[in-house]
C-alpha cells in the first residue's frame, strides 16, 4: 500500500545564523523563516541560532533556541530541545564556518540525535574539498532526507564529487524580496544622486570581494561618464573586523583618494534592513560583483539584484555564470579593472540593451521571490517526511521492543490514575502530564468506566474505586431535562453545553450496558440501570451511523443481563435495521461500506451489526457485518502484513485516495474488538490473526516500526504521524490501548501454538443470565 496523502506540517525548526547577527546566512535564515510562516500560517516556525561569541545578539521571538558554536555539549542539548519541540521537520542552513569542530563537524553530533526528518540547505559545495570537508558533507548528506542547493552546478557537484543520489537533491533558487520593476531615478533623490548614474556593490566587506578593482576602473569610467558614482554598501564582516579591524575599508578609501575619485566612491558603513536595502538596489543603474574566487556556488546579493531587474556586471564565479546566462548580465575576467570599465561604459552607452538585460533578469526573478521559494521548500519538507518514514535510520534507531505473539505487556495503570482525579478522567495530556486546561468529557469517562469494570472482573486492586468515580461522572453528566448526556466539562466543573454529541451519549450507553453485564457490585449496577433506562430513548433519534453503532454495543451488553426487556429488544432491532439499510444503500462490489466515506472508529459499524445479528437471530445482519469487517481489514492491511489504520487527515472517500496519516489508536482498538468477536462467533482463526495484527500496531508493527504504547508511563501516544509518534498521551489513546489489552487478555496470554489448538468459543446469549453471585437475574419486560 503506497502513501497517498501528507498531513499538514505543524512545526518547522530552522538551524543556522539569524538576524541581527550580520552575515548572509543570518539574513537567509530569517527570510526563509518569515516566508514559510507567511505562506503557511498554520505552520509554527522556530529558529535555532548559532552564536559565535563575538557579541550578544538581541534575537527576535522566533529564535527559540541558541547554541554556542564552540560548545560540543551544547549541540547534544540542542538535539534534546528540538526533539521535545515535536518538530515535523528540521531545516539546516549549512556553511562550514558557522559550526564548531573540524570543518564544522560538530553539527553532525546534533543531527545524529534528531528524530525529525532533516532538510539541509547547502550554501557552499566545494569542487575540491579537503578530506575533512568531504567527510563532513558526505555524512551530512547521509543524515539528511533532502539536500537543497541553489544552483544546478551545486547539484552536479553533489552527484559527481560527493556521490549523492540525484533524487535526493532539490534545486531551489535563492529567495529574494518582491521588488517592483522601477526606473532607477525613483529612489536616487534619497541618496542625493539625482541626475547621476549609480554603480552599486553591497554586502559584508572582506578582501575576497575585489572592490579595489571597481575603484581602479573609476577614473576610466569617469572620463566617458563624469556623472557616475559608486556606492559601496555594507559593514565589514564581523570576523574580519575582529581580526584586522577596518584595514580593508581603509585601504579602499586610500585607493580612491590616490586615484582622485574619493568624491565619486561613497561608502555606506551600514548593515541595512530589507526595506532600506530595496531602496539602495532601486537607485542603482548597474550592480557589480567583482569577487575574486570562482568557487562561490551562491550569492544572495547577486540574486537580489537580478531579481530586482538590475543590469549586472560580474566576475565569472560559478553562481554568476549560471544566473547571468542568456543575456541576463555581463561577465568580466577576475581582477581586471579595464574590463570592468569597458563593460560599464558599454551598458551606459546603450540604454536599450541595458533595459533589455534588466527585463530578462526581472522575468527570471519572478520564480525567485520568497513566496514561491517557500512553496518549493514546503514541497521538499513534505517529501522529506515521506522518505523519513520509510528510511532505515528511523526503523533501526527508534524501533520499539519486539513483543512476541501471545506475550502481552503487563497491565500498567499508572497513566490511567495520573489522568484521573476526584471528578473523573481528564481529556488530554501534554506528553504524559495531564492537561487540566482541556477539562473532561463524557466520551472519555464512558471509555474509562468500561476499562474499570473490566479491571474489576480481573480482581485488579483499585478498580472498584475508579469505576465508582467514572460512573459518578456519567450520573452528573446526564441532563434529565434534555434526556441527554452533556459531554464537555471545564476543569472548574462547569458544563459547556446542555446536551452533548450523539457519539458521547451513545458511548455512555455502551459503558452503562457493559457495567450491567460485567460488574458484580450492586451499587454500580443500580446506578447504571437507572441511567441506561432514562438515556435509551434518545438513541432512536440518532441520525449518524457511529452513535447508532455505539448504542447497539451497549444494547448487546445490556441484553446479556436482561434478554426479556422488550423495549431494549425493539430499540436494538430498529437501530440495527437502520445500519443494515445504510449498508444496502451504499454497498458496491468495490466499496463494501455503510456510507461514501471511511472516517473514525470505523470497525465499530460492522462490529455492532455482527453482534446485533447474533442476538436477534438475524443471519443476514451477521453476514453483512462479517463482509464489511473483512473488506475493512483488507483495506487497512499493508503489503508487509501490518495494520495501516485510515488516517484522520482526510480519511477515505469512495473513488479517491485514502489518507495514510495521522493514524489513531481508536482505529486499532475498534478493529481488535470487532475481529475478536468475529473469531468468537465464527470460530475462524483468521479473525484472531486480525486481532493480533491490530494489537501489534500499538506495539510497533506499523508503518514506522514505532511503539505507540509506552510501558514506562502506562500511557499510549495520541497517534502515528508521518515520521514519528505524537508525544502526547491523552485519555482516548490510553484507553484505546488499555481496552484492547484487556480484551486480548483471556485469549492471548497463551502461546500462539496453544491458541491455534484451543477449542474455539462461540458466543451465544444465555437464555437466563446469571449474575456474579450466581443467582439468576430476571429478564425485564416492559
Amino acid at each position: 500500500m503506497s502513501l497517498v496523502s501528507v498531513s499538514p506540517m505543524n512545526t518547522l525548526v530552522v538551524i543556522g545564523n539569524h538576524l541581527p547577527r550580520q552575515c548572509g546566512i543570518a539574513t537567509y535564515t530569517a527570510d526563509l523563516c518569515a516566508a514559510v510562516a507567511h505562506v503557511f500560517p498554520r505552520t509554527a516556525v522556530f529558529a535555532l541560532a548559532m552564536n559565535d561569541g563575538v557579541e550578544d545578539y538581541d534575537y527576535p521571538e522566533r529564535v527559540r533556541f541558541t547554541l554556542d558554536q564552540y560548545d560540543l555539549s551544547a549541540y547534544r542539548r540542542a538535539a534534546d530541545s528540538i526533539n521535545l519541540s515535536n518538530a515535523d521537520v528540521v531545516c539546516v542552513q549549512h556553511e562550514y564556518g558557522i559550526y564548531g569542530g573540524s570543518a564544522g563537524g560538530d553539527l553532525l553530533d546534533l543531527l545524529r540525535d534528531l528524530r525529525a526528518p532533516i532538510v539541509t540547505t547547502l550554501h557552499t559545495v566545494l569542487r575540491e574539498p579537503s578530506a575533512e570537508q568531504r567527510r563532513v558533507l558526505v555524512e551530512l548528506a547521509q543524515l539528511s532526507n533532502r539536500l537543497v542547493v541553489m544552483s544546478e552546478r551545486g547539484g552536479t557537484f553533489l552527484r559527481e564529487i560527493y556521490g549523492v543520489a540525484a533524487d535526493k537533491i532539490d534545486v531551489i533558487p535563492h529567495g529574494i524580496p518582491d521588488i517592483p520593476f522601477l526606473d532607477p531615478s525613483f529612489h536616487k533623490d534619497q541618496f542625493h544622486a539625482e541626475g547621476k548614474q549609480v554603480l552599486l556593490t553591497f554586502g559584508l566587506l572582506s578582501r575576497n570581494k575585489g572592490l579595489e578593482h571597481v575603484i581602479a576602473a573609476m577614473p576610466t569610467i569617469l572620463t566617458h561618464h563624469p556623472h557616475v558614482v559608486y556606492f559601496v554598501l555594507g559593514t565589514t564582516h564581523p570576523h574580519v573586523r575582529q581580526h584586522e579591524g577596518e584595514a580593508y575599508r581603509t585601504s579602499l578609501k586610500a585607493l580612491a583618494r590616490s586615484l582622485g575619485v574619493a568624491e565619486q566612491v561613497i561608502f555606506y558603513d551600514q548593515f541595512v534592513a530589507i526595506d532600506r536595502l530595496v531602496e539602495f538596489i532601486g537607485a542603482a543603474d548597474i550592480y557589480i560583483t567583482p569577487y575574486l574566487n570562482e568557487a562561490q556556488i551562491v550569492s544572495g546579493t547577486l540574486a537580489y539584484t537580478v531579481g530586482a531587474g538590475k543590469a549586472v556586471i560580474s566576475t565569472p564565479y560559478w553562481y554568476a555564470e549560471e544566473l547571468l546566462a542568456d543575456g541576463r548580465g555581463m561577465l568580466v575576467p577576475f581582477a581586471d579593472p579595464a574590463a570592468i570599465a569597458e563593460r560599464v561604459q558599454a551598458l551606459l552607452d546603450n540604454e536599450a540593451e541595458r533595459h533589455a538585460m534588466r527585463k530578462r533578469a526581472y522575468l527570471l526573478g519572478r520564480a525567485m521571490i520568497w513566496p514561491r521559494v517557500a512553496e518549493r521548500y514546503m514541497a521538499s519538507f513534505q517529501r522529506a517526511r515521506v522518505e523519513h518514514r520509510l528510511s532505515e535510520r528511523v526503523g533501526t534507531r527508534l524501533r520499539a521492543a519486539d513483543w512476541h505473539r501471545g506475550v502481552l505487556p503487563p497491565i500498567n495503570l499508572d497513566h490511567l490514575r495520573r489522568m484521573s482525579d476526584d471528578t473523573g478522567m481528564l481529556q488530554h495530556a501534554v506528553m504524559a502530564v495531564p492537561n487540566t486546561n482541556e477539562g473532561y468529557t463524557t466520551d472519555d469517562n464512558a471509555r474509562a468506566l468500561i476499562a474499570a469494570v473490566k479491571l474489576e472482573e480481573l480482581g485488579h486492586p483499585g478498580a472498584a474505586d475508579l469505576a465508582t468515580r467514572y460512573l459518578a461522572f456519567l450520573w452528573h453528566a446526564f441532563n434529565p431535562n434534555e434526556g441527554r448526556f452533556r459531554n464537555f466539562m471545564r476543569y472548574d466543573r462547569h458544563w459547556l453545553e446542555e446536551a452533548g454529541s450523539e457519539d458521547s451519549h451513545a458511548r455512555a450507553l455502551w459503558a452503562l450496558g457493559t457495567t450491567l453485564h460485567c460488574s458484580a457490585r450492586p451499587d454500580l449496577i443500580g446506578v447504571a440501570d437507572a441511567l441506561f433506562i432514562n438515556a435509551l430513548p434518545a438513541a432512536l433519534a440518532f441520525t449518524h451511523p457511529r452513535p447508532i453503532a455505539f448504542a447497539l454495543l451497549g444494547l448487546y451488553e445490556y441484553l446479556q443481563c436482561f434478554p426479556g426487556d422488550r423495549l431494549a429488544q425493539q430499540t436494538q432491532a430498529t437501530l440495527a435495521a437502520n445500519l443494515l439499510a445504510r449498508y444496502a444503500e451504499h454497498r458496491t462490489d468495490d466499496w463494501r461500506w455503510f456510507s461514501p466515506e471511511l472516517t473514525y472508529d470505523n470497525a465499530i459499524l460492522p462490529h455492532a451489526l455482527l453482534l446485533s445479528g447474533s442476538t436477534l437471530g438475524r443471519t443476514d445482519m451477521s453476514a453483512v457485518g462479517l463482509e464489511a469487517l473483512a473488506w475493512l481489514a483488507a483495506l487497512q492491511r499493508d503489503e508487509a502484513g501490518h495494520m495501516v489504520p485510515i488516517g484522520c487527515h482526510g480519511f477515505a472517500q469512495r473513488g479517491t485516495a485514502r489518507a495514510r496519516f495521522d493514524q489513531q489508536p481508536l482505529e486499532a482498538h475498534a478493529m481488535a474488538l470487532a475481529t475478536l468477536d468475529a473469531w468468537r462467533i465464527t470460530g475462524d482463526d483468521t479473525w484472531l490473526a486480525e486481532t493480533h495484527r491490530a494489537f501489534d500496531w500499538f506495539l510497533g508493527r506499523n508503518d514506522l516500526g514505532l511503539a505507540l504504547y509506552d510501558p514506562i508511563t502506562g500511557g499510549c501516544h495520541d497517534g502515528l504521524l508521518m515520521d514519528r509518534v505524537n508525544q502526547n498521551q491523552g485519555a482516548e489513546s490510553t484507553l484505546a490501548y488499555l481496552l484492547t489489552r484487556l480484551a486480548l487478555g483471556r485469549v492471548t496470554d497463551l502461546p500462539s501454538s496453544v491458541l491455534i489448538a484451543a477449542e474455539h468459543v462461540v458466543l451465544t446469549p444465555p437464555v437466563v443470565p446469571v449474575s456474579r453471585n450466581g443467582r439468576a437475574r430476571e429478564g425485564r419486560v416492559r
Side-chain angles (χ1 to χ4, degrees):
M1 186 180 297
S2 61
L3 179 74
V4 293
S5 68
V6 178
S7 59
M9 196 168 81
N10 296 318
T11 305
L12 169 68
V13 174
V14 183
I15 301 175
N17 297 348
H18 196 286
L19 296 175
R21 181 171 174 178
Q22 296 179 2
C23 76
I25 303 293
T27 301
Y28 188 91
T29 302
D31 289 345
L32 175 61
C33 289
V36 173
H38 176 73
V39 178
F40 302 95
R42 294 187 179 182
T43 299
V45 183
F46 305 120
L48 185 155
M50 303 301 301
N51 283 338
D52 57 2
V54 174
E55 61 181 284
D56 293 327
Y57 301 103
D58 184 16
Y59 288 116
E61 184 178 353
R62 173 164 287 134
V63 177
R64 188 70 64 86
F65 318 101
T66 60
L67 194 161
D68 183 346
Q69 174 179 342
Y70 304 106
D71 182 357
L72 179 58
S73 65
Y75 287 81
R76 292 159 186 162
R77 292 194 299 271
D80 292 338
S81 298
I82 293 171
N83 289 334
L84 289 171
S85 76
N86 214 23
D88 292 282
V89 171
V90 174
C91 183
V92 178
Q93 305 307 306
H94 181 260
E95 176 71 67
Y96 289 106
I98 69 174
Y99 301 104
S102 177
D106 287 354
L107 172 67
L108 303 177
D109 277 71
L110 189 161
L111 302 186
R112 292 184 194 112
D113 290 338
L114 290 182
R115 292 198 293 262
I118 299 167
V119 176
T120 297
T121 303
L122 298 172
H123 292 261
T124 294
V125 184
L126 299 174
R127 185 172 62 185
E128 298 177 356
S130 68
E132 191 64 8
Q133 288 169 333
R134 179 191 293 274
R135 181 195 69 81
V136 168
L137 189 53
V138 167
E139 183 171 354
L140 179 61
Q142 292 170 346
L143 291 169
S144 302
N145 299 91
R146 309 289 307 168
L147 293 173
V148 174
V149 291
M150 299 179 219
S151 65
E152 294 293 343
R153 190 188 295 259
T156 300
F157 284 179
L158 284 179
R159 295 190 304 272
E160 296 180 356
I161 300 171
Y162 299 91
V164 178
D167 59 4
K168 192 172 187 173
I169 302 168
D170 293 320
V171 180
I172 301 177
H174 193 296
I176 61 171
D178 190 359
I179 301 174
F181 189 76
L182 297 175
D183 188 285
S185 299
F186 186 82
H187 286 294
K188 286 183 179 179
D189 60 327
Q190 300 180 52
F191 307 103
H192 307 291
E194 303 96 322
K196 298 182 179 179
Q197 296 156 312
V198 177
L199 312 181
L200 172 68
T201 299
F202 74 88
L204 296 174
L205 269 61
S206 60
R207 294 188 183 276
N208 65 345
K209 298 297 185 181
L211 303 182
E212 60 272 18
H213 299 293
V214 183
I215 295 173
M218 285 295 290
T220 303
I221 295 171
L222 290 168
T223 300
H224 297 85
H225 295 277
H227 299 297
V228 168
V229 292
Y230 178 37
F231 289 176
V232 178
L233 170 63
T235 62
T236 299
H237 194 289
H239 289 172
V240 173
R241 189 168 57 243
Q242 184 180 23
H243 292 98
E244 63 176 64
E246 295 290 346
Y248 181 56
R249 183 187 301 274
T250 301
S251 70
L252 295 176
K253 290 182 177 180
L255 176 62
R257 286 194 301 270
S258 69
L259 295 175
V261 296
E263 292 185 3
Q264 288 78 27
V265 179
I266 304 170
F267 290 87
Y268 291 89
D269 187 4
Q270 304 168 19
F271 187 88
V272 297
I274 186 63
D275 292 344
R276 185 63 170 162
L277 177 59
V278 166
E279 293 170 351
F280 272 100
I281 294 173
D285 293 281
I286 299 174
Y287 182 73
I288 304 178
T289 53
Y291 301 161
L292 301 178
N293 185 358
E294 70 169 353
Q296 186 159 338
I297 208 73
V298 67
S299 167
T301 62
L302 184 62
Y304 277 32
T305 49
V306 167
K310 296 286 106 176
V312 177
I313 296 172
S314 176
T315 51
Y317 56 91
W318 294 332
Y319 188 62
E321 284 183 325
E322 188 168 315
L323 200 61
L324 301 182
D326 301 322
R328 292 186 292 268
M330 286 185 170
L331 298 178
V332 296
F334 292 106
D336 191 337
I340 293 173
E342 179 186 348
R343 295 295 190 273
V344 170
Q345 291 170 187
L347 284 177
L348 293 179
D349 288 341
N350 192 337
E351 186 172 350
E353 172 56 26
R354 186 169 78 251
H355 288 304
M357 180 187 293
R358 291 184 59 206
K359 186 175 181 180
R360 288 190 290 267
Y362 190 77
L363 290 175
L364 176 72
R366 294 305 80 204
M368 299 168 62
I369 61 174
W370 272 116
R372 304 289 82 78
V373 170
E375 291 171 352
R376 293 180 66 171
Y377 262 103
M378 182 59 74
S380 182
F381 296 154
Q382 298 292 41
R383 282 194 294 270
R385 295 176 71 194
V386 174
E387 291 155 3
H388 187 70
R389 176 180 67 82
L390 301 173
S391 70
E392 181 180 1
R393 185 161 66 96
V394 174
T396 57
R397 190 166 55 129
L398 301 180
R399 187 172 298 277
D402 186 20
W403 299 94
H404 294 287
R405 284 286 174 88
V407 180
L408 300 177
I411 294 173
N412 180 349
L413 300 185
D414 288 351
H415 196 55
L416 180 70
R417 294 192 180 97
R418 189 181 301 116
M419 292 289 290
S420 302
D421 60 15
D422 291 341
T423 300
M425 188 166 193
L426 289 155
Q427 179 180 191
H428 290 306
V430 180
M431 297 192 177
V433 177
N435 184 356
T436 55
N437 291 336
E438 302 296 330
Y440 315 82
T441 67
T442 293
D443 272 326
D444 292 324
N445 280 273
R447 295 183 182 103
L449 177 58
I450 295 174
V453 296
K454 295 287 187 182
L455 288 163
E456 180 195 334
E457 276 192 299
L458 298 175
H460 207 286
D465 178 64
L466 291 171
T468 300
R469 203 175 314 173
Y470 304 138
L471 183 57
F473 186 97
L474 296 189
W475 179 268
H476 185 48
F478 188 70
N479 184 347
N481 296 327
E482 300 287 336
R484 292 284 296 273
F485 288 94
R486 306 175 183 92
N487 190 24
F488 292 103
M489 176 191 275
R490 294 193 321 225
Y491 187 61
D492 61 4
R493 299 188 179 184
H494 283 80
W495 291 105
L496 300 180
E497 63 210 344
E498 291 302 309
S501 65
E502 291 183 2
D503 273 11
S504 63
H505 190 98
R507 285 196 179 97
L509 287 173
W510 184 7
L512 296 169
T514 303
T515 302
L516 289 167
H517 184 201
C518 298
S519 179
R521 291 174 53 194
D523 55 333
L524 295 186
I525 291 170
V527 173
D529 187 51
L531 270 179
F532 191 91
I533 293 169
N534 290 325
L536 183 60
L540 290 170
F542 289 164
T543 58
H544 299 97
R546 278 161 187 78
I548 290 173
F550 296 137
L552 284 170
L553 293 178
L555 283 162
Y556 174 82
E557 298 286 347
Y558 176 83
L559 288 167
Q560 305 308 299
C561 307
F562 305 113
D565 189 323
R566 291 168 54 194
L567 178 59
Q569 291 171 352
Q570 292 164 4
T571 304
Q572 182 188 45
T574 299
L575 296 180
N578 185 314
L579 272 190
L580 190 64
R582 290 171 185 264
Y583 188 79
E585 178 184 358
H586 296 287
R587 180 200 183 279
T588 62
D589 287 343
D590 61 352
W591 187 264
R592 302 188 179 190
W593 202 243
F594 302 81
S595 65
E597 65 280 328
L598 289 156
T599 55
Y600 63 95
D601 238 338
N602 290 298
I604 212 75
L605 302 179
H607 188 194
L609 207 53
L610 173 63
L611 291 184
S612 298
S614 71
T615 305
L616 294 167
R618 291 282 301 271
T619 56
D620 57 336
M621 287 184 178
S622 296
V624 164
L626 292 170
E627 178 184 78
L629 186 60
W631 179 81
L632 179 65
L635 184 68
Q636 296 190 126
R637 188 185 310 129
D638 186 81
E639 294 174 357
H642 60 264
M643 184 185 181
V644 183
I646 299 295
C648 70
H649 281 291
F651 296 116
Q653 304 287 328
R654 179 165 53 197
T656 62
R658 55 157 290 184
R660 190 143 182 162
F661 295 95
D662 296 349
Q663 298 173 21
Q664 300 292 297
L666 207 61
E667 301 307 310
H669 164 244
M671 179 60 75
L673 266 59
T675 54
L676 187 58
D677 276 337
W679 171 69
R680 285 171 172 155
I681 289 171
T682 66
D684 185 344
D685 287 342
T686 58
W687 291 115
L688 188 57
E690 292 298 334
T691 305
H692 277 285
R693 196 188 318 276
F695 186 64
D696 286 348
W697 180 87
F698 288 101
L699 304 180
R701 294 187 179 93
N702 51 45
D703 276 343
L704 301 190
L706 303 180
L708 277 293
Y709 172 59
D710 183 346
I712 297 174
T713 66
C716 178
H717 294 284
D718 280 352
L720 193 69
L721 310 182
M722 175 167 291
D723 43 34
R724 65 191 185 285
V725 296
N726 186 322
Q727 293 299 307
N728 297 330
Q729 298 178 16
E732 179 184 284
S733 54
T734 295
L735 289 166
Y737 167 78
L738 179 59
L739 288 167
T740 308
R741 168 64 180 84
L742 292 170
L744 274 110
R746 292 182 176 179
V747 296
T748 54
D749 281 339
L750 301 171
S752 299
S753 58
V754 177
L755 285 173
I756 299 302
E759 181 176 321
H760 297 154
V761 178
V762 179
L763 289 180
T764 53
V767 177
V768 182
V770 178
S771 68
R772 296 295 174 223
N773 60 15
R775 293 178 296 175
R777 298 171 65 178
E778 296 180 358
R780 181 179 296 144
V781 178
R782 296 187 185 139

